[in-house]
Amino acid sequence: MSASRGVALVGAGVCKFGVRRASFRELIWEAGKACFDAVPGLRPRDLEGLVVGSVLPERTAFQSHIASLAAEALGIRPSALSARTEHMCASGTVGIRYAYAFIAAGLADLVMVLGVEKLNQPSGEEAILNMGTGVDREWEAAFGLTAPPCFALAAQRHMMRYGTTEEQLALVGVKNHTHAARNPNAHFQKGATLDQVLCSRMISSPLRLFMCSPITDGAAAVVLASAERARDLTDRPVWIRGTGQALDGFQLSSLPDDLARWPALERAAQAAYRMAGVGPRDVDVAEVHDCFAIAELIAYEELGFCDQGEAGPFIAARRSDDGGDVVVNPRGGLIGCGHPLGATGVAQAAEIFLQLRGQAGPRQVPDAAIGLTHNNSGMGEHVVMIYGREPA
Amino acid sequence: MTYWRAVDPFPLQSADHTKLAEFYARLGQGRLSTTRCAGCGRLAWPPRAFCGDCCADRFEWVDLSGEGAIQAFTVQETGLPAGFPGPRVFAIVAVDGLRIFTVILNGEAGRVAVGQRVRLRPLRVADGPTGEPRWLPAFAPA
């Protein structure tokens, strides 16, 4: 697969993540404003398209027709592309893939992708119930299933098969909470010690509170441009080098028997690496989908950062932390930053944008040249993007 | 105020709502069943009215044994959705070569184990909008 035209990120903006005293529309305003402020000379009316990733506005804000709402709120008048993407937790990155494909195909030159989710309404109890809409209602959600037990099943399996320990799972929480403390937009900013993570309350065995992402409101935006427009707008575009998406199954009982292996992630990663012309060892910084600690560990393996079954020792040796083989989740990941579903993939891209431009401040990975994002919807559906300081 | 219907998490199981209503009717009688594709013979779980392998939309109902073994489980203690009390044991159970996602009832959390034998124990949940009973395929230690 090869694209006909180069595509780059030219701007990014993220709002403060957390339990926000702000409406759905206000979150859109905040992320849009941050993104436009990052691209001097770009005005809303210059954009030809807007894609909005959002999962649950019908249930949380009693609002659909989201792309048009956001376009009007931000003063964008789409002439080539206006759409919403809903692919549960991967909605944001799926939106970036749409915008990428549109620009690569020559159908647009300048497109914003915005992700937004207002989860903490109408009430906290309903917020958790609402999250169950992402699993199969008839055969899973009707039992009260939400995400934590799904990933707990994978964690149990990984521990049984490879000897992965509770402490190794906890180290993901320690690392990502510690990283989040350097990110003023993160939901949590107090850091966490190993004891704190291991003593936090049990959610779904073996996953404890600090090994889980919280329920977060937030929004993020990026602007994608064709090569020519990118060079007009900035002298430091961040190039999209590769992308892949693959799906193994929706229901738990449709996934491969061995829940500690995610073949769809391996396939998505291989497609992205092939297209980018790089391999796992070339990746300097990665934003991976640590909705739960086990997800980050399995991602190390399927992305090729370490061998099968070696993720526990890999994090214990600090090989995914500052100074290691690849710095994973420098902004704090989903565990530290929070997980406003539709916004997550876009916020991951925004972080890689800052990292590859050397603008990530106290969490900057020195001289980062190749960045990767991994965004999933459950355990069977995965999207990978690879970005570079230089075009392919 | 009838607002609660907007958050009803249980499927609509009557023949007015699903052509697979037979599954729930049998479940209410204590029988675990599923569909066999009339085109290629594939036994599906969950039951389905369209075969993703051979594209047939003809099927027959087959009763399963209703007994199996726990393949994987987790105990959720907190963070359950409104209306679902914890701790709750979620499991994948192998029954007659199929893998079934379910909950384990009456299992003392500390005693649930991989490999444990379990048997169908239909779980009655809130009645449907017109008062008909609704059932889910839960399991309990055999």
Side-chain angles (χ1 to χ4, degrees):
Chain A
M1 180 167 40
S2 70
S4 51
R5 304 203 301 169
V7 181
L9 298 187
V10 297
V14 176
C15 79
K16 171 79 177 84
F17 282 16
V19 181
R20 291 293 315 277
R21 292 185 182 182
S23 73
F24 189 78
R25 189 189 317 260
E26 288 160 0
L27 296 173
I28 292 169
W29 279 337
E30 289 182 27
K33 161 81 174 152
C35 188
F36 282 117
D37 284 353
V39 198
L42 178 69
R43 297 158 304 179
R45 64 175 175 270
D46 298 331
L47 292 171
E48 299 164 301
L50 173 67
V51 182
V52 180
S54 195
V55 177
L56 294 171
E58 287 87 350
R59 285 192 81 97
T60 58
F62 209 75
Q63 179 70 63
S64 58
H65 207 170
I66 297 307
S68 300
L69 182 155
E72 183 176 271
L74 295 175
I76 297 167
R77 302 285 177 87
S79 54
L81 170 61
S82 175
R84 168 183 172 191
T85 53
E86 191 281 292
H87 199 61
M88 199 57 192
C89 309
S91 300
T93 308
V94 172
I96 291 173
R97 276 171 61 88
Y98 281 7
Y100 167 81
F102 250 71
I103 295 170
L107 292 173
D109 283 307
L110 213 46
V111 176
M112 175 177 277
V113 181
L114 183 139
V116 55
E117 211 72 48
K118 176 69 188 173
L119 288 172
N120 285 287
Q121 60 184 30
S123 71
E125 288 153 327
E126 269 189 52
I128 292 177
L129 190 66
N130 290 343
M131 302 284 277
T133 61
V135 299
D136 192 292
R137 182 201 189 200
E138 280 186 280
W139 302 102
E140 296 178 332
F143 287 111
L145 184 71
T146 52
C150 298
F151 287 84
L153 290 169
Q156 296 278 15
R157 173 72 188 166
H158 206 272
M159 293 168 91
M160 210 159 72
R161 175 157 178 201
Y162 300 117
T164 305
T165 65
E166 206 179 329
E167 185 171 315
Q168 289 164 343
L169 285 169
L171 288 172
V172 177
V174 174
K175 174 175 70 67
N176 293 350
H177 273 280
T178 304
H179 287 183
R182 305 183 296 209
N183 176 3
N185 287 320
H187 190 148
F188 300 121
Q189 284 160 10
K190 292 181 178 169
T193 65
L194 185 58
D195 276 353
Q196 276 176 311
V197 179
L198 284 171
C199 295
S200 61
R201 75 169 189 269
M202 186 64 83
I203 302 295
S204 196
S205 57
L207 300 175
R208 294 177 181 275
L209 183 67
F210 279 43
M211 303 174 190
C212 303
S213 53
I215 292 177
T216 299
D217 307 325
V222 294
V223 174
L224 280 69
S226 60
E228 190 182 342
R229 295 302 300 276
R231 291 195 175 94
D232 288 345
L233 287 163
T234 176
D235 55 6
R236 278 183 295 173
V238 168
W239 300 93
I240 294 179
R241 296 272 303 252
T243 174
Q245 178 173 14
L247 192 152
D248 271 333
F250 173 52
Q251 296 176 359
L252 277 172
S253 54
S254 311
L255 294 177
D257 257 4
D258 182 359
L259 294 174
R261 287 294 324 274
W262 295 351
L265 174 50
E266 185 183 25
R267 295 200 305 280
Q270 292 305 323
Y273 285 135
R274 254 196 322 275
M275 187 173 163
V278 300
R281 282 180 180 73
D282 299 311
V283 178
D284 301 301
V285 54
E287 283 287 319
V288 314
H289 195 100
D290 60 321
C291 49
F292 301 94
I294 186 60
E296 180 165 324
L297 295 185
I298 294 177
Y300 295 164
E301 298 171 7
E302 303 297 358
L303 290 168
F305 296 157
C306 67
D307 290 337
Q308 289 304 322
E310 288 298 311
F314 188 77
I315 189 164
R318 297 181 59 87
R319 291 174 65 186
S320 55
D321 207 342
D322 302 323
D325 305 17
V326 50
V327 182
V328 177
N329 289 329
R331 76 186 173 110
L334 285 59
I335 288 176
C337 285
H339 182 24
L341 315 176
T344 285
V346 185
Q348 291 178 324
E351 178 67 12
I352 295 299
F353 178 75
L354 291 178
Q355 289 285 349
L356 298 196
R357 282 161 59 108
Q359 295 176 322
R363 57 182 195 275
Q364 179 66 46
V365 175
D367 202 32
I370 298 286
L372 175 150
T373 68
H374 157 235
N375 199 189
N376 59 251
S377 315
M379 297 189 285
E381 309 177 36
H382 299 267
V383 196
V384 174
M385 303 289 301
I386 295 174
Y387 298 91
R389 221 161 44 188
E390 305 299 330
Chain B
M1 187 171 172
T2 53
Y3 172 73
W4 69 273
R5 283 289 174 213
V7 294
D8 174 14
F10 304 113
L12 300 173
Q13 301 179 349
S14 74
D16 287 341
H17 295 104
T18 168
K19 63 178 75 170
L20 299 180
E22 173 76 13
F23 171 82
Y24 296 105
R26 292 186 186 211
L27 187 63
Q29 300 162 1
R31 295 155 68 191
L32 183 68
S33 60
T34 193
T35 52
R36 185 189 299 283
C37 174
C40 68
R42 180 179 164 182
L43 196 64
W45 181 265
R48 52 191 301 162
F50 176 82
C51 179
D53 283 347
C54 76
C55 292
D57 61 358
R58 294 168 294 117
F59 57 88
E60 60 190 21
W61 287 102
V62 177
D63 273 335
L64 301 171
S65 71
E67 284 194 27
I70 293 179
Q71 274 194 341
F73 75 96
T74 178
V75 184
Q76 185 166 13
E77 298 188 8
T78 51
L80 282 145
F84 293 89
R88 204 163 181 83
V89 183
F90 294 104
I92 293 173
V93 171
V95 176
D96 302 346
L98 300 171
R99 296 166 71 231
I100 298 179
F101 172 77
T102 185
V103 289
I104 306 299
L105 305 173
N106 304 330
E108 284 176 49
R111 291 179 50 206
V112 178
V114 170
Q116 187 176 1
R117 302 293 302 175
V118 291
R119 182 177 296 142
L120 180 74
R121 171 87 59 95
L123 174 66
R124 184 154 178 193
V125 295
D127 291 349
T130 48
E132 69 281 8
R134 289 192 289 187
W135 301 90
L136 296 179
F139 286 74

